[in-house]
Amino acid sequence: MNLLFKIGFLNISWIDVIDIFLVAVLMYQLYKLMKGSVAVRVFLGFLSLYLIYLVVRASGMELLSSILGEFMGVGVLAVIILFQQEIRKFLLIIGRSTAFNRESFLELLGIKNKKEVFSLNVSAVVEAAKTLGGSNTGALIVFSRNSELKFYSESGDMMDAIISKRILLSIFNKYSPLHDGAVIIYNGRVKAARCILPVTEQTLPAQFGLRHRAAIGMSENTDTLVLIISEETGQLSLARGGKIDHNLSPQEIRKRINEYYHTVEPSLDQVITKQVEEDKKKRKKKKQQNH
């Protein structure tokens, strides 16, 4: 072990410096994750108590050290219980940002995963959003590019419908039985409507209601893009990664959706033709199975 410098009875090496740096980065990331929630106060309190325990143990105070040591032993279980939501979010972030997801893992093995190529009718979504916003009709639309969100889809009514302006307007019509909840769009189609989304625990401004809180909560828990149309103001917003961009123009909405999917928006004729062909294939396959 190469000694770097000495502070009193402490011998500091390069490994210790790297260790302290990595712990500092980890603590900072955890703080960022919990910032704005009630859990951050509990986290700072627990961290302060742990630092006191380290100082007491290093000072040789055996009685106080043993008492705090017993508390720290149970503290690991307490942390898991108190911070279960934050730990889940942290693991989700790691899972999304590392190479150990399904697609990257297959690429590392040299297996090319064939991605389904689909066309999303962004124009229909944007036009519907403009109409809904103009009439102050609230709406929640979830875009998913790599997961069918089965858990959230099954909380509502399954549809598997072609995306169109009329479909979206009819779903979010105030007198429609499907308007209360979110629409999930996956694989270029309306997968489900009236879906229940998780609500964020962040402290938000008073202008954001339950619809905005649900959108942020969904973007925290999944790799999705969520479009929010305010019922009070008719303003359009987008939530991604636990953050919300408020009062966006239809042009900006179109741009952000295209950026999320990393695709160039196809023409309306191409979208409708492709989706009609897919429906024909599905009907033909069902007939063959029935016979």
Side-chain angles (χ1 to χ4, degrees):
M1 183 173 65
N2 296 323
L3 186 65
L4 186 60
F5 56 88
K6 189 175 182 180
I7 304 174
F9 59 89
L10 296 175
N11 296 322
I12 309 297
S13 67
W14 283 109
I15 298 298
D16 296 323
V17 173
I18 295 170
D19 188 22
I20 293 168
F21 174 74
L22 292 175
V23 170
V25 170
L26 180 62
M27 292 295 106
Y28 176 68
Q29 292 299 326
L30 287 172
Y31 175 74
K32 277 178 62 180
L33 189 67
M34 293 184 288
K35 188 178 178 181
S37 66
V38 181
V40 70
R41 296 179 183 177
V42 182
F43 172 72
L44 292 174
F46 187 82
L47 184 61
S48 302
L49 193 61
Y50 182 68
L51 291 174
I52 293 169
Y53 166 68
L54 292 178
V55 172
V56 167
R57 191 176 67 174
S59 303
M61 300 180 186
E62 294 184 6
L63 182 59
L64 189 56
S65 178
S66 61
I67 293 172
L68 291 174
E70 290 295 326
F71 180 79
M72 288 298 145
V74 183
V76 176
L77 183 60
V79 165
I80 294 172
I81 295 170
L82 289 171
F83 301 110
Q84 54 179 319
Q85 291 293 332
E86 283 71 23
I87 291 171
R88 185 171 181 271
K89 291 175 189 174
F90 184 67
L91 294 175
L92 281 169
I93 290 169
I94 292 174
R96 289 203 297 258
S97 59
T98 58
F100 295 100
N101 52 57
R102 185 174 176 269
E103 294 175 3
S104 299
F105 185 68
L106 289 172
E107 288 177 5
L108 286 171
L109 294 175
I111 304 170
K112 290 185 178 180
N113 186 25
K114 291 183 180 179
K115 296 181 181 179
E116 266 188 73
V117 179
F118 61 88
S119 300
L120 176 66
N121 192 353
V122 182
S123 294
V125 176
V126 174
E127 289 301 317
K130 284 167 63 178
T131 304
L132 291 168
S135 60
N136 281 29
T137 304
L140 262 178
I141 302 175
V142 180
F143 301 93
S144 178
R145 62 185 175 186
N146 54 15
S147 171
E148 59 181 327
L149 304 174
K150 189 174 181 182
F151 176 78
Y152 300 105
S153 298
E154 290 179 349
S155 68
D157 296 322
M158 304 300 289
M159 292 186 67
D160 192 29
I162 295 173
I163 298 172
S164 69
K165 179 181 176 181
R166 290 181 180 179
I167 283 285
L168 294 174
L169 291 179
S170 62
I171 289 173
F172 291 112
N173 185 285
K174 293 177 182 179
Y175 301 103
S176 168
L178 298 175
H179 82 282
D180 189 16
V183 159
I184 292 178
I185 292 177
Y186 171 68
N187 204 19
R189 298 173 71 87
V190 178
K191 182 173 179 62
R194 206 176 60 84
C195 301
I196 300 170
L197 305 184
V199 179
T200 184
E201 295 181 1
Q202 291 184 37
T203 303
L204 299 175
Q207 65 186 28
F208 294 138
L210 185 60
R211 187 173 281 110
H212 293 83
R213 296 183 65 85
I216 295 171
M218 186 66 174
S219 69
E220 286 175 337
N221 287 277
T222 59
D223 182 24
T224 55
L225 180 71
V226 188
L227 172 62
I228 313 105
I229 303 167
S230 174
E231 189 173 351
E232 289 76 20
T233 62
Q235 293 177 340
L236 310 180
S237 306
L238 282 173
R240 178 87 196 279
K243 297 178 181 179
I244 187 167
D245 293 319
H246 189 53
N247 194 17
L248 299 175
S249 65
Q251 293 77 17
E252 189 65 23
I253 296 291
R254 183 190 301 273
K255 181 184 174 184
R256 298 286 186 89
I257 294 173
N258 283 325
E259 285 176 354
Y260 173 71
Y261 283 102
H262 302 292
T263 57
V264 178
E265 185 183 349
S267 66
L268 182 61
D269 292 337
Q270 289 175 333
V271 172
I272 294 174
T273 302
K274 182 163 183 134
Q275 291 178 337
V276 168
E277 287 176 357
E278 287 178 358
D279 285 341
K280 285 181 180 178
K281 287 179 182 178
K282 284 184 178 180
R283 291 194 199 99
K284 188 177 180 181
K285 191 175 180 181
K286 285 181 180 179
K287 286 180 180 179
Q288 290 176 349
Q289 288 175 349
N290 292 332
H291 290 302

